Amino acid sequence: MKDVLLLVGAGQIGMAIARRIGFDKKIIIGDKNLVNAKKIADIMYNAGFDVNYLEVDLADRISIKNYIQEAQKYGQIGMLINAAGVSPSQASIETILKVDLYGTAVLLEEVGKVIKAYGTGVTISSQSGHRMEALGSEIDEQLATTDCENLLSLPVLQVENIKDNLLSKTL
């Protein structure tokens, strides 16, 4: 059995990273859209990588856990590339928060429970977050320390407190 590299999000950036570090690993591509996952898997397979693909919905803890459990059948998880997400041009505020914030937090929490010692991971995000003003130390601490299941209940993340897909009204 090989070390497993989890690639969540079947896109070009994640694939480029996986191609760079995925040699001699079992790469498990997870994406909500299986057609996209298969396309990336086929490209990587044809380039000589040992790859499989599975469905995973980053907005759903059970889906994330199932993805990880299936990936563990191939070996011990040693690496995570999280390149999944939606942008303000693609989705509503609620969906962005559920996928990009909650989903990333759950993915990191669940992979953190099973990744091998000295395992590594990277999360890729869009430049959209850099267009926002600083949230402040109190909100930063809340976002960093609130239990995943309570994240979306934080006052700053309530739709009525967000002016648009990028800015909080409380700033």
Side-chain angles (χ1 to χ4, degrees):
M1 292 178 74
K2 297 180 179 181
D3 277 354
V4 174
L5 183 160
L6 299 178
L7 169 56
V8 181
Q12 297 296 312
I13 294 172
M15 181 178 68
I17 297 167
R19 289 175 65 119
R20 191 73 178 151
I21 64 174
F23 176 76
D24 202 28
K25 310 258 182 316
K26 179 68 175 186
I27 301 169
I28 308 297
I29 300 170
D31 198 281
K32 187 173 181 179
N33 184 324
L34 278 178
V35 172
N36 291 345
K38 184 179 182 329
K39 282 182 195 175
I40 298 299
D42 288 346
I43 291 167
M44 294 190 72
Y45 176 80
N46 290 330
F49 290 91
D50 184 5
V51 63
N52 197 1
Y53 62 95
L54 300 167
E55 183 176 3
V56 63
D57 180 354
L58 202 57
D60 182 325
R61 182 183 288 271
I62 293 170
S63 180
I64 291 168
K65 289 174 84 166
N66 289 340
Y67 166 70
I68 292 168
Q69 185 176 37
E70 285 298 311
Q72 287 178 299
K73 293 177 181 177
Y74 296 96
Q76 190 172 15
I77 295 170
M79 296 179 167
L80 166 67
I81 301 166
N82 177 20
V86 292
S87 72
S89 63
Q90 296 175 306
S92 67
I93 293 168
E94 296 90 348
T95 300
I96 292 168
L97 293 173
K98 184 79 171 172
V99 174
D100 295 358
L101 178 65
Y102 170 79
T104 296
V106 170
L107 180 67
L108 294 173
E109 180 179 277
E110 294 298 335
V111 170
K113 293 175 183 177
V114 299
I115 197 166
K116 74 179 199 171
Y118 304 104
T120 189
V122 63
T123 294
I124 308 302
S125 68
S126 74
Q127 65 183 358
S128 297
H130 296 286
R131 294 169 48 188
M132 292 178 59
E133 299 173 27
L135 297 174
S137 60
E138 183 179 332
I139 292 172
D140 284 349
E141 183 177 346
Q142 290 172 0
L143 290 170
T145 61
T146 299
D147 178 78
C148 293
E149 296 307 318
N150 295 318
L151 265 175
L152 299 178
S153 298
L154 291 173
V156 71
L157 299 178
Q158 301 313 296
V159 174
E160 64 271 10
N161 293 330
I162 299 174
K163 318 189 228 198
D164 60 39
N165 292 12
L166 295 174
L167 301 173
S168 169
K169 290 181 184 175
T170 60
L171 296 178

